Amino acid sequence: MGDIEQLRRLMRQLEDQLVVCMRCGMCQAVCPVFAQTGREADVARGKLVLLDGLMQAMLSDPEAVRERLQRCLLCGSCAANCPSGVNVLDIFLKARAILAGYLGLPPLKKAVFRRLLAHPQMLDRVVEFGAVFQKLFTRPVNEVVGTSCARFVSPLLADRHFRTLAAVPLHRRRPSLNTPAGASGLRVGFFVGCLIDKIFPNVAEAALHVLEHHGVGVFLPEGQGCCGIPAISSGDTQTFNELVRRHLDQFDTDRFDVLVTCCATCTSTIKKIWPSLCSEDLTARAAGLAAKTMDISQFLVKRVITAGTTARSENGRVVTFHDSCHLKKSLGVSGEPRELIRANPDYTLREMSAADDCCGMGGSFNLEHYGLSARIGRLKRDNIAATGCSVVATGCPACMLQISDLLSQAGDRIAVKHPVEIYAESFPA
Ligand code: SF4
Ligand code: SF4
């Protein structure tokens, strides 16, 4: 009943939001999917026209509507360039939730979301099991990028070059933390996120090292899970609400000054999507937590690192920076990660062309449309390689996965790092 009420509410909101689009088509010029396919159905305007008659379209061919809606990276390029300020991503997510309410979730997604994602401890056990046996099915291909590929034909892995699961995830290394504010007088809540926990725990370790160095206390509660973006991107409001509720209970805002994450997607989800798409009984608490949430680089540069402590070098190891869509287009954060990188005198930052063009990852888009995702991504790979860098940095672990795949497939020997890792290298362990 609660779900039906939530879907009704989403439908009413959707109707109000759709009228804002004036069909100017300016979103066409910036849509990475449209740039590859040239199909009006793939651009925001085409999808919004479809949604304007959502009830009618849902009744006549709901699967076709779902297929069209899923052919989207949720990159936000259209929204960032829309003269009318249409909240495109919010509209697309609401429409996906309404469709999933009408059609139901595909069985595989339903099983993964409801049995695993909604139960973080269960997901942890399954992933730990996978980490023990992954060497049987994978083999390393590029030691600089840190990628592996499948040993045998695998429909899921295809010919991807991927980062393997960490031997020891963060939740095993640091099950919980509760340290007081030090010299900075600040204390953060630390939201880990699935990819950081299970594939890139070294990024979280670097962030914790930096926070300790600057005298920032850390509250890291045990039993954290996913921010819910995979679930809500597929319209699963039930799993999404369970995860939002769980984390709101864990992260009592009285216990810290700022909630930080090292994942641009988690930050954007907590700040923008939790308050907008959670059930009504959670909205006020979600909005309170959202107001306290910051990307780690933004927090460090704006609140912690004192002016004059940043160094700049012209002769260091060349690093280029990719603006993750969730960090720049959704949160407006682009200068701070560059500041963190410049603060390490061993590195020289060299900008790539179109640093804020989408890398083509798009979460489940990469799983469902890998060929298209790779075509978009190869443009990013070419821009990275053209800088002559030996390191590429980005503030989102999902982009780190995509860029690792692209570089490795091209045979590049370029390391992929998070800006906080580069900054952390400035301090002795
Ligand atoms: S979404 Fe914005 S940019 Fe695209 S057609 Fe509508 S008003 Fe124009
Ligand atoms: S979110 Fe990105 S991929 Fe989707 S319609 Fe907008 S610009 Fe295109």
Side-chain angles (χ1 to χ4, degrees), residues 337-401:
R338 288 174 167 83
E339 281 302 302
L340 273 195
I341 293 168
R342 287 195 189 100
N344 186 335
D346 294 335
Y347 286 84
T348 297
L349 181 62
R350 187 176 296 161
E351 293 289 346
M352 70 174 94
S353 302
D356 62 355
D357 274 7
C358 179
C359 68
M361 180 60 173
S364 61
F365 182 89
N366 176 276
L367 291 175
E368 292 166 14
H369 304 285
Y370 181 57
L372 193 47
S373 168
R375 264 158 57 202
I376 296 167
R378 278 195 280 275
L379 304 173
K380 176 61 60 179
R381 177 266 155 198
D382 292 347
N383 286 334
I384 293 169
T387 65
C389 67
S390 61
V391 178
V392 55
T394 185
C396 179
C399 299
M400 290 172 77
L401 286 180

Side-chain angles (χ1 to χ4, degrees), residues 20-27 44-45 48 81-84 86 88:
V20 182
C21 174
M22 57 185 183
R23 314 274 196 258
C24 68
M26 286 179 71
C27 42
R45 180 176 62 179
L48 295 171
N81 289 281
C82 172
S84 304
V86 178
V88 182

